Amino acid sequence: MVIGCCMIKIRTEWVNSLKDKRMELRRIVDRSKNKFNISIAEIGSNDNHRVIELGFACVTNDRALADSIIDNVINFIERITDGEIIETETEIL
């Protein structure tokens, strides 16, 4: 069993309130869950409305597949959000 984990931090300069952040966060989480078979949630920066910090994980039987899924999810999130990805951290166990 191989577990792929990733933390992604997104700067959203155009967000003006925590309500706007929650709407953007919900959109990213819902669309990512529907497209990929991953677990995804907000993991930090809860009080900062200009930064979204997400963590997601996938389980598979091949390291290359886990790496590919993580890359595809990052690229997908980059396409669907107006925010700028400022940091990613990946770990495959």
Side-chain angles (χ1 to χ4, degrees):
M1 176 172 59
V2 177
I3 302 168
C5 306
C6 183
M7 182 279 301
I8 185 167
K9 196 177 284 191
I10 304 167
R11 181 181 305 131
T12 53
E13 293 294 331
W14 54 271
V15 172
N16 294 317
S17 68
L18 287 174
K19 182 179 178 181
D20 291 341
K21 176 185 177 178
R22 282 192 305 269
M23 288 183 352
E24 180 70 8
L25 177 67
R26 179 61 36 213
R27 189 172 70 83
I28 292 169
V29 169
D30 288 346
R31 291 182 70 185
S32 297
K33 277 184 182 179
N34 288 337
K35 183 153 178 80
F36 302 97
N37 189 16
I38 59 170
S39 294
I40 183 169
E42 183 176 22
I43 59 169
S45 301
N46 295 339
D47 294 332
N48 184 350
H49 65 275
R50 302 228 186 237
V51 177
I52 296 173
E53 194 170 339
L54 295 169
F56 64 89
C58 64
V59 178
T60 183
N61 59 355
D62 184 24
R63 291 182 68 86
L65 181 58
D67 194 40
S68 173
I69 291 170
I70 289 171
D71 287 342
N72 288 334
V73 172
I74 291 170
N75 291 334
F76 178 74
I77 291 172
E78 192 170 35
R79 282 194 313 271
I80 66 170
T81 186
D82 293 331
E84 173 190 1
I85 295 177
I86 55 174
E87 183 181 349
T88 60
E89 189 175 311
T90 302
E91 186 174 350
I92 298 180
L93 308 169

